[in-house]
Each structure stands twice: as structure tokens, then as C-alpha cells.
Amino acid sequence: MSGLAKCAVKVLLTVLLGGFLGATLVRMAPGFGVDEEELDTRLSHESIQSLRRTDAADSNLAAFYFHYLGRIVRGDLGTSRTLQRPVSQLLAERFPETLKSVGLGLALGWALGLPLAIFVVMTRTWYVDLFASMLGGILLCIPAAVLALLFVLMQAPGRLVLGLIVFPKVFRYSRNLLAQSSDLPHILTARAKGLGNARVLLWHILPVTAPQLLALAGISLSIAFAAAIPVEVLCDLPGIGQLAWKAALERDLALLVNLTMIVTLITVIANSASDLVGHAFRTVEP
Amino acid sequence: MRLRLASIVVLMLVAVNGMAQSGGELRFCIHSEPKTFNPVLMSDDASETVRYLTGGVLMRLNRLTQNLQPELATSWKVSDGGKTISFQLRDGLRFSDGTAFSAEDVAFTVQQLMDPNLHSPTGDEFRSGDGKVETRVLSQNRIVVTFPAPVAGLDKLFDQVAIMSAKSPQKEMAVLGPFYVAENKAGSYLILKRNPNYWKHDSSGRQLPYLDSVRLDIQQNRDLEMLRLVRGDIDFINSVDAEYFDKISTEKASVAHDAGVSLDSEFMWFNQVPTSSLPAYKKAWFTSTNFRRAISESINREDMARIAFRGHAQPGVGPISPGNKFWFNSKLQAHPFDQKSALARMAQDGFRLQNGVLRDRDGHAVEFSLITNSGNKYRERMATMIQQDLSGIGIKLNVVTLDFPSLIERMTRTFDYEACLLGLVNNDLDPSSQMNVWLSSAENHQWNPSQKTPATAWEAEIDQLMHAQASTLDQKKRKQCVDKVQEIVWQQEPFIYLVNKDALSAVSPALQNVQPVVLRPQVYWNIDQLQLTSAVAKNRQ
Amino acid sequence: MKWARAAAVIFLVVLALVCLLADFLAPTSYAHQFREVPDAAPSRHHLLGTDALGRDRFTRVLYGSRVSLLLAPAAALLASLLAALIGAGAGLAGGWVERCIMAATDLFLSLPWLFLLITVRALLPLNVSPMASVTITFALLGCLGWAAAARVICADTRALCRSDFVLLARASGCDGFRLLWRHIVPNLKPIVYAQFWISIPVFILTEANLGILGLGVAEPLPSWGGLLRELESFSGLSGQPWIFVPLVLLILVVSSFHLLMENEELTA
């Protein structure tokens, strides 16, 4: 089998496994198969029994997963129990919203994080380092809810909060990685030989650190998706994150399995891509 | 010539001014996405909000006077001891899409409502006995509905029944109310536009509603909602948290309204299910009336109302709130805060206070857990206050907040809990709406649900009284039964009532004709008569 | 520069001492509700005012630092070590073992662990002691928080494997676990430190949010995360600057850790 085909098979297997494990976690957790509607004091005995029967319909996990896979082949992703609509429709409506947020968040996080890390490593002064780290530290310590509230108070778009959540992590990792590389012997030699800062950075430090930075890029996607959930819930943005939170609180199996598989797919593809590109960098190392 | 020109200009100005008095878009927030637009299947708040704004009903319960007023039905008559109701309907009305309205539509709606396979929550309130519901269409605008058994408060229940069209191609989207759903951006907002075929006119003959449209934004975050109100983005908040109420009233006193004590209650109860996994000694504690009364007397309800709810609540008395003036048993008062009396009661059951720890007659230290749902900071605060109160009589209380599904599972399936703190949102004045809480055989009889035979004599007595009040139309007799039920609950404390919250709302000064009340919907119950000031209305055209 | 580091050490030591001596330093119990003065401003009796239920905020900050300062770094350490071992092991092994482990890491990153936490809460008895519950919470967070860093560490290890000193070590017969532990892991310090530094505030804040599931700290035990949640409402943000003290303390602690772990070679 060609490399690409092998890769595709690996991705597919991981995604399917992710879906099944996710479904198992949801099914085993307490609160599965109960509905807040049962507490409605208007309902008669028959109505409550009928409600309990529908909720228990997904109890057998293996059967559920088997039917689910069968439907996926035909393009039907199932129906959300809590929102009473086809999952594919919900995903199609909400995905662009999240893509916008995550894209913006990642762009902002990297645009702030990487240049700042480079600046810190290039200037090599302790007060610049301390100041940048304090900035990152402050953003890590402020709860996302407070950041979101501040943004709304200042009438700024709530999506930017995602960027501020991603930034300190990107900054910290890349600063440490670049600092580690800039102390390698051949860099010191290059400096001693009188090469300018920019040249040293572009031709010697970055290529060496590229595989790790790419791995960081891959996981920053996961971090952004994970951070999208609280940000969307707090700022009332109708994206996938908000959907995931609602589905989790109501134990909506159909939605959760689909969301887990999508997130697994994106994570695996992003990380595999960063691995491949990192591999290419390694083979052209000076 | 000049005079004619001047008079024309004056007339035009008057006309323009008159036009600018109405119109505009009302904006407020709902807290979740409506699950359905079918009025018969609705059970969540957001859908019911849309139903109130778009649905036409036969009679409407005026939230201010608490009397029924005619809407689509010009008159009605309840007969046969509460089994039959006949309506005389208005002539010549049309649905929002133009389809004609007749008694056929009422018959269709009632059949859908009572369809046993649809399990309509609204319909379940009419289900007093087994058998089919008969509808007889006598003419274009006369219809008789007969139920298999008497239904308590039959006429008032029709306030919740929005009439659907039997023939319209738009099915449930064709409505008879002041607005219809024009745009639905799922997850984001809904726009309702004024129904051009709405039958109601005001006293000067102008067609209602005054507003042009209503925009419902889906916003779950209460902080953001409050911010938007202060900024003028939205026009009111139907139900404000006690914490924000004070903040809003300091900003602009005219905006915040406290309509008095509402029908909602917060209470806690002990797990009395005999088959639960609790150890025998704990089951003995929880099933003892003395124990429950003592706990009730150890809780400082005044402090709770003052601190947790910032004074916007009253100590709870029983299942019926003092806000329900007719049905509340005014002879009863909240249990006083008296820890000495509580200890004396405990002593009657053999509990003794030793070294600051309360122990039962076998020496077990009294320690139990109280579960409540997370995310509700008022309940978390009440639970923490109860924790301190009970430590005053040597009881160690562990507060556990759980997510709602886990809580419901423990409450209704596994019965793996000791005490629970929750609240009841009550929209109905009539005590028959709480039948499924007080009947010992019902699922919502929280402390010991679905009993095959009543576990105690007092539960059997409550069963009898609730059945008695549901099967007669005599208000005096019903009141006697319900008063006795309240007395029994007060004595036995299966639910320890903590507080009754006030009905708080916040309304922007740009909105006129607003009279906030206690019954839901507190602010927009008279939606067809609400108006925006001309400045704001013009802005929003 | 050295004085900044010294200041950081002194700050952390003082804080640790204050935590241990909280029983003596605290003016009152952290659970007692002074119900006549809820939401009070700072005064002689209440140095940082009182919270919504009338509990003394200063005392709660003192006791809260015990829970958060003790358990969050421990959990962060656990997560960092796991990330180092798994990432470095994968990087060293190479080939299909590495691909398998990295695929498992991707899977780990994507699963909804929320449900595992809910299940753990269900398995614990309702009357479990607050300290036990919070310790279990942080242990779980430590066990679940390693995945992101593991990938970066794996990439770093692969780069290290080609460096001279590792080739030398291999040539002289050092292999397997010994190679990993003695030669590779020490050189992974920068990334492991980054992971550790990031994890501390993240875990403190996550613990506060886990209150939604019944895990985390149970009332009335305070924690910094719980105190920070007071900031989350609109009414909290205006006109009461003393509420921000836990946030300022947390930022100072995080900055002190940074100064402690800073790479000395960064100084010119």
C-alpha cells in the first residue's frame, strides 16, 4: 500500500476507535437516559413511562454503534435527541461559526506568541523575558469567563478571547524551544563567527526547531478547539463548542459521538500533517 | 389658500406623529433554542414563550386580574360537573396565512392535544380519567367538548391551548395570535412579525398589536443579558436574578420591578424510599417526623431570604405560596427558627448532643449529604447556609453539587442520595396542577415516588383530599380540602419549604403600557398592547 | 537579575510558611458566616472584606492557598513527568511504536474526558471528605493533562536522538531506559518546564470549573479557583478592587515559578 493510503487507513481506524470510546464514556457516565422533562409535574404516568422508554432506546452501546455506522455510509449522521433535528444539519449550521473563531484564535495566538518568543530569545535580556512571561502568566491566570466579560464590556468581539487563551501556551513553548536551540554549539559558533541576529535566526535556529514548532502548531489546534467550548458558551456564539457543551449536559449520544469523531479527525490530520512536514525539515537539516 | 396649505401640513404632522406612536421592534432574550413550534408538544420555556406570542387561545387568563377573559371564544359554559365545555366562537377570523378559522380547527386541536400517542404535557393536564375525548362541532362557530371524567379548573386550562389550523398547508406555523414566526436563525435569534390577520382592535378601532415585530435573541449568559439591558440593546428582562436586581435599581430606579412574592418555591427533602441503599439507621432518621420538623426548625429562613436572595424572597410556608391569594392557607406561618425547640424534638427520638456532635440512640453521629444542582448559585448559597445552621445543633452536612442529569438519576432511578435541595417553578394557580406531586402513586412524589399503597397514614389522607378537591366544582369545598393538605404538609414536612422568591423583572423606560405581575409571563403578558416610545421605535424601523 | 530570582524564592517561601501557619494567622474560621455583614468592604475585622455569605475573605485566601498551592503543583508535576516519559519513550523507540503511541495521544486529546470525571464522582461516596475529593480531582487532572506536551516532547526527542552526545552515549553501550533517563530527559527540561509552568494556573482554574460536576473542592473549604469564580459576574467586576487579591496572588506565584525555572543561560 502506498504511504498515503496507509495514512488514510490509520486516520480512519483512529477516528472509528475515537467514536466508539467516546460513546462508551458517555454511556457509562451517570445520568445517561434521564431527561429533565420527566420532572414536569403536568405529565401523566403513561407520558413519563413513554419518555423513559425513548430515553433508554440507546442503552445498548454495540447496537447503537452498529446502526450508527450503517447510517453513516448513507450520509445520515443521526438525530439529536435534545434539539430534535438531524445532526448533519446542526453541524452544517454551526461549523462555520467555530471555524471562524478557531481560525481567528489561532492566528491571533501565533501572531502574538511566536514573534514575542523570538524577540525574547534574540534580545536575551532578563527583564524583557520577565515582562513577556508575566504577560503570558496574567492571561493564563484570568478565568476565561472574566476575559469574556471584559471583552463584552469593552464591546470587542468575543472570539478574540480564544486568541488570548492560545497565546500564552504558544508563547511559552516556543520561547523554551527557541531558547534551547539557540544554545546549541553550532549556533554559538555561528554567532562567534559574526553572523547577524536575523541570519542566525532564519537559517540556523528556526530550521532546527521547525519539527517541534510544527508539532506545537498541531496541538495548538487541539488547544483551540478545547478552548472554543467555554468561550462559545460564555459569549453565546452558536458554534460547535456550544453544541458540544449542551450535548454533554444532556447526554445526547448521537451528537457527542459525531462531535468526538470530528474532533478526532481534525486532531489526527493536523498532527499527521505537522509530522510529515517536520520530517521533511529534518531531512534537510544543515 | 395659505390656510388650506397650513391645515394640510398640520393634518400630515398629526398623522405622522400618530404613526410614529406605534411600530418598532421589541427585543428581549430567551435562554435556549425552542425545541418545537408545535403548540401541543411543547414543554420547554423557550417554545412556550413563542407560543404565548404567536398562539391564539379560546380564553386568556388575564395575568393582572387573574380572571378569564374571552379571546377566540366570545362565551363558554362548563357543565355536567366539569365534564363538558361548550364554546361560542368569533366569526370571520383568519389564520396568519389567510386560512379561515372555524370550530373544525378547535376540534382538530383538541384531538391532537388529547392524542394518547403524542403525550402532550399540556394535554396531560386535562387527562382526568381513561376514555376518549369527544368533540362535537355544532356549527361554524359552536363546539362542545366532552371529557371522560370531570376536569378541575377546566376553563382556566384552555389558556394554555393554542389553536392550530386543521387545513392550512403551513400546519402549526399558521397562527391566530398577535405575531407569527417570520425568521428563525437556529441557535441565534428568532424574528416574529405582526400578524396582519389579528382580530383584536383597541378601543379607538386601531388594529393590535402596536409593535411591528419582536426579536428573540438566544442568550444563556445572564451577565451579558443584563449588560445588554443597561445598554439599551434589549427592552426588558422577564425574570431577573436577585443579585442583578439591586445593581439595576441603583443604576436606574425606574427600570427594576419587584412584583411581590411569586408562586415558585425552593425546598429540600429527605430520601424516604424504603428500597434505597441507605443504611437502616439513616432510613429511620429520615422517616421520623420529629427529625424532619427539628431540621426545619434549625434552618434560619429569614437569613436565607435576606442574604441569599438580597431580601427579595420570603420564608417558605408550604406547597402553596402566599402569592396565591385564594388557595394559600393563611392560618399557616413559616416554621420559626428555634434551635432549642429543635434539640428538644430530637431528644424525643433519642438524639443527644455530646461534645458538640449530635448522636442518635445507637451512637451514630448525625452526618448526611445534601445534593443540589450545580450552576444555580442561589441553591449553592442556601445549601452552605443550611450547613452552618445545622452545625449549630451538632449535625455535619456535606454539600454536593451535581450536574442535572446525575442529580435526576439519583432522584428518580437509583435513589442513591440522602437529602436533596431543589425548587419548583409553578405557573398555575390551581392546586390540581400539582396532583402528580402529592399523589403517593405518582412519579413526582419526590421523597418516595410511585408507591403501590400509601406508605403512611398522612400520605393516604393527602391522596384522599387531592382526589376530593379534583372531583368537585364547589370552590368552597375545594378550598377546605386544599387547606387541610397544606396543614398536613406543614405538620409532617416531607418537603421542608425554604423560601418563596419574589417575581423580579427589569423594563427599559422606552417600553410603555408595561404592568409587571407575578404570573408568567411577568412583563409581556399584554404583548399586544405594549408600545415603544416613538424615538426608539423610529430607530428600530 | 539575581535579586529578582531571590525575591521570587523569598515570596514562595513566605507564602508556603503562611499556608502552613494558617491556623495561627487566620483571624477567624474560613467557614463562619458573619451574616450581618455580607459583601462588606475591607475593615479592621475583615482585612479583605467578606464574600456574599459574610465569610472573611482574608481567611479564605489563606486556607485556599493551602489547597491550591499544594495540590496544583503536584498535579502539574505528575502531568509533566507523564508527558516526558511517554513522549520521550515514543521518540526514542521510533518506527511503528512511535506512530502507535502518537496515534493514542491524538485519541487521548480528542475524547470527552468530562464523562470520566462525572463517573468518578458517581463512584465516590456522597459523604467523602472534602480533602479526599479535591486530592482525587487533582490526581485525575494530572493523569489527563499530559497529552498536549507529549507530542512536542516526542518531536524534541527525535531531534535530540540525532545529536552528538546521544550518538556517543549509544556508541558507549548506553541504551533503553538508561539512555532515556540519564541523557534524554535532562535535555528535555525546557519543554517539561514549560508544561509545568502552564499547568499550574490551568489546573487551579479547571478545579474551580469542575465544581459543576460535583468534583473539586466541596463547601465550605475554599480554594483559589473558587475565589476567582467570584470575579465571574458583572456585579463582581465593578467597584470592589479587593476581590482581585486572589488573582494578583496567583499571578505573582506563577511569575515566581517562572523566575525559578528560568534558563540561566538566557542571561547575557
Side-chain angles (χ1 to χ4, degrees):
Chain A
M1 265 198 287
S2 76
L4 207 59
K6 264 201 238 177
C7 213
V9 168
K10 176 186 112 178
V11 168
L12 188 65
L13 278 178
T14 318
V15 170
L16 286 176
L17 190 60
F20 186 71
L21 287 176
T24 315
L25 278 174
V26 175
R27 174 68 188 86
M28 292 300 125
F32 183 77
V34 295
D35 200 337
E36 193 177 331
E37 284 181 25
E38 282 177 39
L39 298 181
D40 192 334
T41 51
R42 296 175 294 185
L43 292 176
S44 70
H45 173 77
E46 287 78 22
S47 301
I48 295 188
Q49 296 303 326
S50 147
L51 203 57
R52 290 189 182 182
R53 272 197 301 273
T54 10
D55 288 333
D58 287 336
S59 296
N60 188 335
L61 198 59
F64 166 80
Y65 206 55
F66 184 67
H67 289 302
Y68 171 72
L69 288 176
R71 281 198 303 262
I72 266 198
V73 175
R74 278 176 276 141
D76 171 17
L77 293 176
T79 312
S80 157
R81 182 173 60 82
T82 48
L83 290 174
Q84 304 280 336
R85 287 168 64 203
V87 174
S88 38
Q89 212 179 65
L90 286 167
L91 290 177
E93 275 165 13
R94 288 168 176 263
F95 210 68
E97 187 67 42
T98 304
L99 273 183
K100 263 190 276 187
S101 304
V102 167
L104 199 63
L106 279 177
L108 188 65
W110 277 91
L112 287 177
L114 191 58
L116 191 61
I118 292 176
F119 181 63
V120 164
V121 169
M122 287 293 102
T123 54
R124 305 182 129 239
T125 45
W126 67 270
Y127 48 85
V128 170
D129 189 28
L130 180 61
F131 172 74
S133 293
M134 280 198 81
L135 183 63
I138 290 176
L139 285 172
L140 269 183
C141 295
I142 300 184
V146 178
L147 274 178
L149 212 50
L150 280 173
F151 267 68
V152 173
L153 271 173
M154 298 185 305
Q155 303 202 313
R159 292 180 216 276
L160 297 178
V161 176
L162 211 78
L164 291 184
I165 294 182
V166 170
F167 153 68
K169 297 170 186 165
V170 165
F171 164 70
R172 190 68 197 187
Y173 277 119
S174 43
R175 171 214 174 271
N176 284 21
L177 282 170
L178 289 171
Q180 180 191 39
S181 314
S182 71
D183 295 327
L184 288 174
H186 67 274
I187 308 286
L188 296 171
T189 321
R191 273 183 199 261
K193 279 200 187 154
L195 279 177
N197 251 352
R199 272 194 82 179
V200 170
L201 176 72
L202 274 179
W203 289 103
H204 296 277
I205 298 187
L206 279 182
V208 164
T209 338
Q212 293 95 302
L213 285 178
L214 283 164
L216 182 63
I219 59 157
S220 67
L221 194 63
S222 297
I223 295 177
F225 265 102
I229 298 181
V231 169
E232 282 183 7
V233 169
L234 292 165
C235 300
D236 279 317
L237 297 166
I240 300 263
Q242 195 192 57
L243 191 66
W245 184 243
K246 280 194 209 164
L249 286 182
E250 313 233 8
R251 315 285 199 270
D252 191 334
L253 193 58
L255 265 180
L256 285 167
V257 168
N258 281 297
L259 287 170
T260 308
M261 288 176 71
I262 290 180
V263 173
T264 314
L265 185 66
I266 295 179
T267 310
V268 170
I269 290 183
N271 287 334
S272 307
S274 72
D275 266 351
L276 281 172
V277 181
H279 203 77
F281 262 97
R282 235 175 291 132
T283 51
V284 294
E285 215 181 313
Chain B
M1 175 67 184
R2 255 196 205 161
L3 198 58
R4 255 177 60 187
L5 198 61
S7 52
I8 291 176
V9 169
V10 165
L11 276 172
M12 275 175 63
L13 279 173
V14 166
V16 162
N17 214 14
M19 271 168 26
Q21 271 281 308
S22 68
E25 182 179 72
L26 180 71
R27 292 186 189 155
F28 65 98
C29 296
I30 51 178
H31 300 118
S32 60
E33 211 176 311
K35 288 193 191 172
T36 172
F37 290 115
N38 187 331
V40 150
L41 297 177
M42 290 178 179
S43 63
D44 61 307
D45 270 345
S47 309
E48 290 185 353
T49 301
V50 176
R51 182 172 70 189
Y52 192 90
L53 294 170
T54 60
V57 292
L58 294 171
M59 297 94 86
R60 177 66 84 200
L61 180 72
N62 185 314
R63 294 334 198 229
L64 183 62
T65 64
Q66 293 184 4
N67 289 326
L68 273 184
Q69 62 190 33
E71 290 270 315
L72 294 174
T74 51
S75 68
W76 63 93
K77 186 157 175 287
V78 177
S79 55
D80 215 356
K83 270 169 51 166
T84 309
I85 183 165
S86 54
F87 299 101
Q88 174 79 35
L89 307 169
R90 266 176 228 273
D91 274 328
L93 302 187
R94 293 188 168 278
F95 283 86
S96 53
D97 68 338
T99 323
F101 165 67
S102 73
E104 301 258 320
D105 300 307
V106 178
F108 171 71
T109 307
V110 171
Q111 290 302 337
Q112 288 280 294
L113 193 68
M114 304 308 291
D115 185 345
N117 297 323
L118 287 181
H119 296 292
S120 160
T122 317
D124 276 349
E125 290 195 279
F126 291 90
R127 254 179 265 278
S128 50
D130 294 321
K132 250 191 75 98
V133 174
E134 277 177 26
T135 52
R136 269 196 349 256
V137 175
L138 299 178
S139 72
Q140 269 286 76
N141 45 23
R142 284 186 60 215
I143 180 171
V144 179
V145 182
T146 311
F147 293 88
V151 179
L154 179 57
D155 46 1
K156 294 212 167 77
L157 286 176
F158 276 93
D159 170 85
Q160 302 288 322
V161 180
I163 305 297
M164 300 193 286
S165 170
K167 297 183 288 266
S168 165
Q170 285 185 16
K171 296 201 198 297
E172 71 257 14
M173 303 306 285
V175 292
L176 289 162
F179 298 94
Y180 69 95
V181 179
E183 194 184 325
N184 176 10
K185 184 152 187 292
S188 242
Y189 62 83
L190 280 122
I191 304 226
L192 309 178
K193 292 220 169 89
R194 75 200 303 264
N195 180 357
N197 297 330
Y198 191 47
W199 58 272
K200 233 194 251 187
H201 293 77
D202 70 1
S203 47
S204 61
R206 208 165 96 193
Q207 193 195 23
L208 293 179
Y210 294 129
L211 297 162
D212 280 337
S213 58
V214 178
R215 183 187 161 110
L216 302 172
D217 280 320
I218 298 179
Q219 183 111 62
Q220 220 173 7
N221 192 330
R222 308 273 171 155
D223 286 288
L224 292 186
E225 193 185 6
M226 207 199 75
L227 205 57
R228 293 182 68 187
L229 178 72
V230 167
R231 284 208 191 128
D233 247 358
I234 56 174
D235 298 309
F236 65 85
I237 301 181
N238 204 32
S239 174
V240 181
D241 277 354
E243 243 181 359
Y244 298 147
F245 187 82
D246 292 325
K247 188 148 179 39
I248 295 178
S249 30
T250 46
E251 300 235 345
K252 300 182 202 166
S254 59
V255 171
H257 296 266
D258 184 341
V261 66
S262 72
L263 303 181
D264 302 339
S265 47
E266 300 280 320
F267 49 87
M268 65 176 271
W269 72 88
F270 289 100
N271 184 356
Q272 295 186 47
V273 176
T275 54
S276 71
S277 53
L278 297 176
Y281 66 89
K282 282 197 177 170
K283 285 187 195 171
W285 298 348
F286 300 153
T287 46
S288 146
T289 306
N290 273 334
F291 182 85
R292 297 193 301 269
R293 285 288 291 269
I295 301 275
S296 176
E297 282 176 350
S298 319
I299 297 177
N300 192 335
R301 292 172 174 78
E302 298 278 348
D303 272 358
M304 226 178 253
R306 184 172 53 89
I307 295 179
F309 291 93
R310 309 291 168 95
H312 297 290
Q314 279 186 23
V317 181
I320 307 230
S321 147
N324 191 342
K325 294 196 172 42
F326 179 73
W327 292 107
F328 175 59
N329 185 344
S330 41
K331 282 186 266 158
L332 297 173
Q333 283 187 335
H335 287 277
F337 173 57
D338 187 349
Q339 295 201 326
K340 273 218 215 61
S341 159
L343 281 171
R345 250 184 236 279
M346 287 285 198
Q348 282 175 24
D349 266 12
F351 289 88
R352 268 172 233 310
L353 193 59
Q354 288 166 355
N355 293 336
V357 176
L358 191 71
R359 289 180 188 276
D360 69 359
R361 44 167 72 100
D362 300 322
H364 297 112
V366 180
E367 176 181 344
F368 56 87
S369 60
L370 179 69
I371 59 176
T372 187
N373 68 309
S374 59
N376 186 328
K377 59 179 146 195
Y378 301 99
R379 288 197 189 134
E380 291 173 26
R381 285 185 190 157
M382 281 196 282
T384 313
M385 294 182 79
I386 295 177
Q387 194 181 42
Q388 169 152 313
D389 286 338
L390 290 184
S391 67
I393 60 169
I395 295 183
K396 182 161 186 275
L397 183 71
N398 297 315
V399 176
V400 182
T401 49
L402 296 173
D403 62 306
F404 216 39
S406 304
L407 186 82
I408 299 178
E409 191 182 75
R410 282 179 191 266
M411 246 170 69
T412 59
R413 306 281 209 276
T414 61
F415 304 115
D416 182 16
Y417 70 101
E418 290 165 339
C420 183
L421 173 74
L422 270 189
L424 187 63
V425 163
N426 214 347
N427 281 324
D428 210 328
L429 291 166
D430 195 314
S432 287
S433 61
Q434 291 195 47
M435 235 12 198
N436 287 327
V437 176
W438 296 107
L439 288 180
S440 57
S441 53
E443 274 89 356
N444 276 313
H445 192 73
Q446 302 303 358
W447 68 92
N448 189 353
S450 309
Q451 297 173 26
K452 299 228 171 28
T453 57
T456 59
W458 56 270
E459 280 173 284
E461 200 182 340
I462 294 184
D463 279 357
Q464 261 179 352
L465 288 165
M466 288 304 285
H467 280 302
Q469 69 86 28
S471 48
T472 170
L473 287 180
D474 180 354
Q475 292 287 76
K476 256 180 79 189
K477 226 180 139 231
R478 287 188 73 196
K479 172 100 172 110
Q480 266 177 353
C481 295
V482 174
D483 274 357
K484 191 81 177 66
V485 170
Q486 294 178 66
E487 252 182 65
I488 298 176
V489 171
W490 191 91
Q491 278 159 4
Q492 300 290 339
E493 296 266 53
F495 285 146
I496 298 176
Y497 285 92
L498 299 169
V499 294
N500 290 114
K501 298 185 285 193
D502 281 358
L504 305 170
S505 51
V507 183
S508 142
L511 194 58
Q512 299 171 327
N513 291 349
V514 173
Q515 291 167 292
V517 294
V518 156
L519 289 178
R520 289 190 172 79
Q522 294 104 306
V523 174
Y524 59 92
W525 60 272
N526 55 348
I527 181 76
D528 42 23
Q529 301 191 352
L530 295 181
Q531 281 183 302
L532 289 168
T533 55
S534 39
V536 176
K538 246 194 290 237
N539 246 347
R540 302 239 188 106
Q541 291 283 351
Chain C
M1 154 59 233
K2 277 233 169 80
W3 60 260
R5 218 187 206 193
V9 173
I10 295 178
F11 174 73
L12 284 175
V13 165
V14 164
L15 201 56
L17 272 179
V18 159
C19 284
L20 291 173
L21 298 176
D23 288 326
F24 301 101
L25 292 169
T28 167
S29 150
Y30 61 78
H32 186 80
Q33 300 159 14
F34 293 90
R35 293 191 182 170
E36 321 79 45
V37 286
D39 272 332
S43 67
R44 208 159 41 89
H45 304 286
H46 303 287
L47 288 173
L48 287 177
T50 59
D51 68 5
L53 286 178
R55 296 176 293 196
D56 181 37
R57 194 172 279 116
F58 178 64
T59 315
R60 287 180 72 78
V61 170
L62 273 184
Y63 279 93
S65 36
R66 257 193 200 177
V67 169
S68 303
L69 279 189
L70 184 60
L71 293 175
L77 193 64
L78 178 61
S80 311
L81 282 178
L82 276 176
L85 284 173
I86 296 179
L92 200 58
W96 63 269
V97 174
E98 180 201 339
R99 282 198 294 272
C100 266
I101 296 185
M102 285 299 109
T105 311
D106 287 340
L107 209 57
F108 206 85
L109 273 174
S110 326
L111 290 178
W113 293 112
L114 186 75
F115 297 99
L116 178 67
L117 295 170
I118 296 179
T119 311
V120 167
R121 171 70 247 186
L123 294 174
L124 289 175
L126 280 176
N127 282 315
V128 71
S129 86
M131 265 325 265
S133 152
V134 75
T135 312
I136 294 177
T137 308
F138 276 107
L140 270 177
L141 286 178
C143 293
L144 295 175
W146 58 266
R151 266 215 163 252
V152 182
I153 291 179
C154 182
D156 209 31
T157 312
R158 281 198 298 254
L160 275 177
C161 277
R162 299 151 149 262
S163 62
D164 302 330
F165 71 92
V166 170
L167 290 171
L168 253 155
R170 271 212 159 111
S172 60
C174 189
D175 216 347
F177 192 70
R178 206 147 157 249
L179 182 65
L180 179 71
W181 192 245
R182 282 178 127 219
H183 296 276
I184 301 211
V185 171
N187 283 292
L188 290 173
K189 265 199 227 157
I191 309 189
V192 176
Y193 281 177
Q195 163 77 342
F196 180 73
W197 183 81
I198 292 177
S199 300
I200 296 178
V202 169
F203 285 172
I204 290 182
L205 292 177
T206 313
E207 172 273 312
N209 291 326
L210 286 180
I212 290 187
L213 309 172
L215 280 170
V217 159
E219 289 282 8
L221 195 62
S223 73
W224 276 6
L227 290 167
L228 284 175
R229 286 189 82 192
E230 279 189 320
L231 295 170
E232 280 177 19
S233 74
F234 187 46
S235 41
L237 280 185
S238 47
Q240 297 181 37
W242 48 89
I243 306 187
F244 288 85
V245 169
L247 183 62
V248 170
L249 272 179
L250 183 60
I251 294 175
L252 285 176
V253 165
V254 165
S255 308
S256 306
F257 269 110
H258 159 74
L259 281 169
L260 273 188
M261 297 183 311
E262 190 192 10
N263 200 339
E264 262 189 353
E265 286 139 279
L266 197 56
T267 59

